[in-house]
Amino acid sequence: MARVTLQTIADRLGVSRATVSYAFSRPDQLSDGLRRRIMEVADELGYAGPNPTARSLRLGRAGALGLLFSETLAYAFADPYAIGFFQGLATAAEDAGVGLLILPLPHGDRRTETVRDAVVDAFCVVSLPDGHPALAEVLGRKLPVVVVDEPYVRGHPFVGIDEPAAGAQAARHVLDLGHRRVGVAMVGLNDDGYTGWADVTRQRSAVFEAMRGRRCGYQAACEEAGIDWAGVPFYELARNSREAGRKAGHALLGRDPRPTAILTNTDVLALGILDAAADLGLDVPRDLSVVGFSDSAAEEAGLTTIRQPQQEMGAAVGHLLLAGTGHGQPPPLAEDGRLLFAHELIVRGSTAAPAV
């Protein structure tokens, strides 16, 4: 059977191809009766409508933003911070009548086909490790690009926070309370699947720029307080989950001497640390202080954390991308192309001065 096209329908009805095209793309340009006859013939011939990919190529736009991030799709809909960020981005896109194409790239996945085949007008790149080939593929598409958290790419807008300053503020909080036996649990340093103790050499070789900065903030604050960073127990995790935090908590709290304060780089990990403390019969904050990060899953648990405005960041990214495709005005950037949002220490009931 010959392929049915717009011209096939036009020939059947004795109208122009443009008239048939209007029935699908600009129905307000036709009378109700004419459009109805066109759609009836299309249905009779089994024609579903113009190919959307071909149409986007013809128009020079896809009507969608690409969201590339270094995690699974299931994680994106489960992690509180990711949900908040995606909501902000999706709202900006929706307000502009633009779609959002989610392109997950789990840790260790080095493929570039996802980027190469994506029919989008711009890319939001979230937390890719140093040297990932997908970033080179994104840049090679010559479309508007905004990077979130990492890595900073000169010449393209960057949205994030001052990671070293935020890490230092979290650490200084427990140090100012008088803690000197501090432990750290961190995820998102590397993408090699490792979970376990991480010495200073491994910490410094991390491939995720933002988490390197956050860790450096922890270290700087501890060293300012006279603490030898090499002696700070540091537990690295491959996945950001409450159960992973619980595992890290048992490892850290099983040390002798036991830490009196634990810093974590996500609220989800911090909740797992609280679970481990409960398993061991430890009182928080009398026996242990715990600090999270992002304030995305912290309030109900009474968790002290660093707040970062994930929804506002997502919305800003959306406006930057849309401005790059000719929609609206972008938020102002610094001279180096960065837009850094303010972070804030939120003190709740998970931190206090050490009992001993």
Side-chain angles (χ1 to χ4, degrees):
M1 183 180 294
R3 185 170 69 91
V4 178
T5 66
L6 292 175
Q7 190 62 55
T8 307
I9 300 170
D11 292 342
R12 171 73 69 89
L13 289 167
V15 299
S16 70
R17 182 183 180 282
T19 297
V20 177
S21 177
Y22 280 168
F24 291 94
S25 61
R26 300 176 64 186
D28 59 304
Q29 300 297 305
L30 305 178
S31 68
D32 291 342
L34 178 56
R35 182 175 187 273
R36 185 168 55 252
R37 291 201 305 275
I38 291 172
M39 300 307 288
E40 287 172 351
V41 171
D43 184 61
E44 177 188 335
L45 296 175
Y47 182 73
N51 184 290
T53 302
R55 183 173 183 272
S56 68
L57 290 173
R58 212 166 43 246
L59 296 175
R61 64 179 186 274
L65 307 176
L67 172 60
L68 181 68
F69 60 94
S70 58
E71 261 299 351
T72 64
L73 192 58
Y75 178 89
F77 289 104
D79 179 71
Y81 176 79
I83 290 171
F85 175 82
F86 292 167
Q87 284 176 338
L89 175 56
T91 298
E94 186 176 37
D95 289 346
V98 174
L100 192 61
L101 179 63
I102 299 178
L103 306 168
L105 201 63
H107 284 193
D109 188 343
R110 311 285 287 183
R111 293 176 300 170
T112 60
E113 294 88 347
T114 298
V115 172
R116 186 164 54 247
D117 299 337
V119 182
V120 297
D121 297 317
F123 282 101
C124 169
V125 176
V126 182
S127 295
L128 285 188
D130 299 341
H132 198 291
L135 179 58
E137 191 74 35
V138 165
L139 299 178
R141 292 283 303 271
K142 305 300 182 183
L143 295 172
V145 176
V146 175
V147 178
V148 180
D149 290 342
E150 56 207 339
Y152 169 67
V153 180
R154 187 173 296 278
H156 294 279
F158 175 93
V159 174
I161 64 171
D162 186 335
E163 297 285 357
Q169 187 173 16
R172 288 193 188 105
H173 171 62
V174 295
L175 295 167
D176 289 346
L177 288 171
H179 292 274
R180 289 300 178 268
R181 300 204 307 270
V182 178
V184 177
M186 287 195 72
V187 66
L189 289 170
N190 294 284
D191 62 350
D192 57 4
Y194 175 76
T195 289
W197 299 109
D199 61 16
V200 175
T201 299
R202 180 172 175 84
Q203 294 169 32
R204 288 174 177 165
S205 66
V207 299
F208 286 93
E209 180 181 325
M211 295 306 101
R212 284 200 306 268
R214 199 172 296 182
R215 185 212 66 86
C216 284
Y218 293 156
Q219 178 177 352
C222 286
E223 290 179 341
E224 287 171 6
I227 297 173
D228 178 12
W229 182 255
V232 172
F234 191 107
Y235 201 85
E236 181 182 347
L237 295 147
R239 290 291 177 264
N240 182 36
S241 69
R242 189 160 179 163
E243 189 55 39
R246 190 177 203 156
K247 179 176 181 178
H250 278 283
L252 287 162
L253 296 172
R255 296 178 67 92
D256 185 17
R258 187 179 69 223
T260 61
I262 295 178
L263 304 170
T264 68
N265 66 326
T266 75
D267 289 342
V268 173
L269 289 185
L271 295 177
I273 300 290
L274 296 179
D275 292 338
D279 292 342
L280 298 171
L282 299 177
D283 180 82
V284 175
R286 186 191 64 206
D287 301 319
L288 176 69
S289 286
V290 181
V291 181
F293 207 105
S294 81
D295 200 30
S296 55
E299 186 172 2
E300 186 175 344
L303 181 66
T304 294
T305 188
I306 295 290
R307 174 180 291 167
Q308 50 182 336
Q310 58 263 35
Q311 288 197 30
E312 291 88 339
M313 292 169 69
V317 170
H319 293 309
L320 285 165
L321 291 171
L322 291 165
T325 61
H327 295 80
Q329 294 295 319
L333 302 173
E335 289 186 7
D336 61 0
R338 297 178 195 259
L339 175 57
L340 297 183
F341 280 79
H343 60 272
E344 179 184 3
L345 175 69
I346 305 298
V347 179
R348 297 192 180 98
S350 70
T351 51
V356 291

